[in-house]
Amino acid sequence: MSNRRLLGVALLGLTLATTSIVTPAQAERLTIVNRNSDSQLKVSINRAVVVESDVPFAELSIANPQIADISSLSDRSIYVLGKQPGTTTLTLLDAQGTLISNVDVVVSADISEFKERLRQILPSEKIEVRTANDGIVLSGVVSSPQKLQRALDLAERYAPERVSNLMSVGGVQQVMLKVRFAEMQRSVSKSLSASLATNGNLLGNLALNSGNGRYSNAGNQANGLAGTLPASNTNAGATMLGFNAGAVQVGVLLEALESKGVVRTLAEPNLTALSGQEAKFLAGGEYPVPVAQDNSTVTVEFKPFGVELNFIPRVVDGDIINLELKAAVSAIDPNNGFELNAFRIDAFKRRETSTTVEMRDGDSFAIAGLLQDDFRDTNSQVPWLGDIPVLGALFRSADYQREQSELVIIITAHLVSPTRGEALALPTDRLRPPSEKDLFLFGKTSKDNTKLRGAAKEVAKQDFTGSYGYVME
């Protein structure tokens, strides 16, 4: 065996002993080198390729041993091992020192295992995997941003900080949120009061003048009762009784009040936003609030009130939608304001919620509900006299108040796509101004619109009739 052959075998044994690599039997035989021809050899990291030369070579050299390692198996076979990503040059010379060939050795990440793992984790996604220089390039169309992120995270395991993303997200990525705010308020107030007054002389010079409740003492019954009954009476019922017992005048005033009220608030805002983008909605107004500054000046800030809605939709996977939502219902409350030197600032009554939910296309969630029941019962009386059976009612006043409110917020999410403009209709499309003949002769304030066609005409025919809301028992 020649010295060159012994040297090649020694180098091969040293390489196999110092590195954990694939044996020559397992290496791929892919490349054949011809004289005076430049070629390219692609090798994966920690994998080996056997290069065959059609001309016997005498000397080998590698430009950068940090990228690839070489050893000769014979005078025609070369063992090339990829060590780290990069490009280097393998040079072959014959016994006379003449150049046989320069081979560009490109060492890249091993993507065969990555491709297999990617097919196992995301089997239905059409993702193409390529190598570029020392990194991985991903391209194709995925169904959701979450699956795109999973593919990128997996690629980072094989090529840290060397992953190029050319993928795009397909499917519907616009979400329309339909929110229904429903609030019912009911109040009941009842009161019953009695006022008694006496005025007169007993046993000559002994005078008597007394009263209770809201009865206003005066010289006679009429004047006494005038203090209680205003010119514009706000009582639901008032009865005045009076009689004389000798020189003593007696006046009795009975007042009764009962009031009931029901308030319904219903709002249905609809809002569309792109996946991952924030959308805002406000139906109401803004209230000016003066704010004192450090330099003794006063500025005006505007606080919004009404129905507010902020949400960020995210299409997670297919038709699964993740919603980060904030909703509020507020109104001006003049009963709890601030007043100073004839200057008044009203307070606000506000109910709000903030939550994150996940649902499918078309599903609904009741994300908030508030049931509030306030009760107040007061009783005032003249000491001892109010405890007398039957007659004690003349010395006693009772007041009963109860307020109930219920607020429910229901959301429905839909994946939506744009449509043609003629398929949409506005609320104003269903009405047309009447002619002078229709207005003055027939008393018509609007005219049917018959020029619309297709879906817009069907929408314009709809009317706001039917059962709405609910009954709070």
Side-chain angles (χ1 to χ4, degrees):
M1 185 179 293
S2 64
N3 294 335
R4 186 181 299 107
R5 181 71 57 82
L6 292 175
L7 178 62
V9 173
L11 291 176
L12 176 61
L14 179 62
T15 303
L16 295 176
T18 56
T19 58
S20 175
I21 60 173
V22 183
T23 62
Q26 297 172 328
E28 299 180 4
R29 295 177 179 267
L30 299 176
T31 305
I32 298 178
V33 179
N34 301 318
R35 181 182 289 274
N36 298 327
S37 64
D38 295 335
S39 58
Q40 187 181 72
L41 172 65
K42 293 183 179 181
V43 185
S44 299
I45 298 177
N46 296 329
R47 293 189 179 273
V49 175
V50 175
V51 179
E52 299 287 347
S53 175
D54 62 346
V55 179
F57 58 84
E59 295 184 14
L60 299 173
S61 64
I62 189 75
N64 189 348
Q66 301 296 327
I67 295 178
D69 199 0
I70 60 172
S71 61
S72 60
L73 302 177
S74 67
D75 58 354
R76 292 176 180 269
S77 301
I78 309 167
Y79 186 83
V80 181
L81 171 68
K83 298 175 67 176
Q84 68 178 24
T87 302
T88 187
T89 303
L90 171 64
T91 304
L92 286 74
L93 302 176
D94 59 11
Q96 290 75 30
T98 305
L99 177 68
I100 298 176
S101 178
N102 284 326
V103 180
D104 293 332
V105 180
V106 180
V107 180
S108 60
D110 185 10
I111 62 174
S112 59
E113 182 183 358
F114 170 64
K115 288 182 177 180
E116 182 63 25
R117 295 292 180 267
L118 195 61
R119 282 193 294 267
Q120 293 174 358
I121 297 175
L122 302 173
S124 60
E125 302 299 326
K126 298 179 179 179
I127 301 177
E128 299 180 2
V129 182
R130 299 182 179 88
T131 58
N133 196 4
D134 60 345
I136 296 177
V137 179
L138 302 179
S139 60
V141 180
V142 294
S143 59
S144 67
Q146 282 67 27
K147 291 186 177 180
L148 183 146
Q149 189 60 43
R150 293 175 193 171
L152 293 178
D153 292 341
L154 183 61
E156 285 289 335
R157 293 283 185 176
Y158 291 86
E161 299 182 357
R162 299 191 306 275
V163 179
S164 298
N165 177 26
L166 301 181
M167 295 181 292
S168 60
V169 179
V172 180
Q173 296 297 313
Q174 295 182 122
V175 179
M176 185 190 75
L177 195 67
K178 179 180 180 181
V179 184
R180 288 177 288 172
F181 296 84
E183 183 178 16
M184 290 290 295
Q185 296 179 354
R186 181 176 68 176
S187 61
V188 178
S189 178
K190 298 179 181 181
S191 64
L192 178 63
S193 62
S195 301
L196 176 65
T198 58
N199 184 29
N201 296 324
L202 296 176
L203 302 177
N205 295 326
L206 180 60
L208 175 65
N209 194 337
S210 63
N212 76 291
R214 289 173 292 175
Y215 192 90
S216 178
N217 294 324
N220 54 54
Q221 301 160 3
N223 292 334
L225 295 176
T228 303
L229 296 177
S232 178
N233 189 12
T234 59
N235 298 318
T239 302
M240 180 181 62
L241 300 175
F243 59 91
N244 294 331
V248 179
Q249 296 179 338
V250 180
V252 179
L253 176 64
L254 299 178
E255 296 176 284
L257 173 64
E258 181 178 2
S259 61
K260 299 179 181 178
V262 176
V263 178
R264 185 192 74 170
T265 303
L266 181 64
E268 295 189 11
N270 297 336
L271 200 58
T272 303
L274 188 65
S275 176
Q277 302 298 318
E278 183 180 12
K280 298 182 179 180
F281 179 90
L282 172 64
E286 292 186 337
Y287 184 79
V289 178
V291 179
Q293 304 297 326
D294 295 337
N295 55 0
S296 301
T297 60
V298 178
T299 60
V300 177
E301 294 184 0
F302 289 86
K303 285 184 63 65
F305 67 92
V307 177
E308 302 176 61
L309 174 64
N310 298 343
F311 78 99
I312 301 176
R314 295 181 179 89
V315 180
V316 178
D317 188 5
D319 60 347
I320 299 178
I321 305 170
N322 179 280
L323 283 177
E324 182 180 345
L325 183 140
K326 296 180 180 179
V329 179
S330 58
I332 298 176
D333 185 9
N335 297 325
N336 297 312
F338 171 77
E339 186 172 357
L340 179 63
N341 297 329
F343 185 78
R344 180 175 179 83
I345 302 176
D346 293 330
F348 283 85
K349 182 170 59 175
R350 184 178 179 88
R351 286 83 69 205
E352 64 179 12
T353 180
S354 176
T355 184
T356 301
V357 296
E358 193 168 272
M359 62 182 67
R360 292 187 178 273
D361 179 24
D363 289 348
S364 297
F365 257 125
I367 64 169
L370 172 64
L371 179 61
Q372 185 175 355
D373 192 348
D374 296 331
F375 175 85
R376 185 177 65 181
D377 190 359
T378 59
N379 186 14
S380 60
Q381 65 181 26
V382 177
W384 303 299
L385 297 179
D387 296 331
I388 301 175
V390 182
L391 294 179
L394 299 177
F395 302 92
R396 188 168 54 240
S397 297
D399 186 20
Y400 164 83
Q401 292 183 358
R402 187 174 186 180
E403 295 182 357
Q404 293 176 306
S405 64
E406 182 178 2
L407 172 65
V408 178
I409 302 177
I410 301 176
I411 61 171
T412 305
H414 296 279
L415 293 174
V416 295
S417 300
T419 185
R420 299 179 62 86
E422 57 267 19
L424 302 176
L426 298 174
T428 55
D429 292 341
R430 69 187 68 188
L431 297 177
R432 292 177 56 194
S435 63
E436 294 184 358
K437 175 182 177 182
D438 293 334
L439 177 62
F440 292 107
L441 292 183
F442 302 102
K444 294 183 178 180
T445 57
S446 63
K447 191 174 184 179
D448 293 337
N449 196 341
T450 57
K451 293 184 178 181
L452 295 177
R453 297 179 180 178
K457 183 176 181 181
E458 297 299 324
V459 174
K461 289 181 179 180
Q462 299 177 5
D463 195 6
F464 296 102
T465 59
S467 300
Y468 293 90
Y470 60 96
V471 177
M472 177 179 174
E473 298 181 353

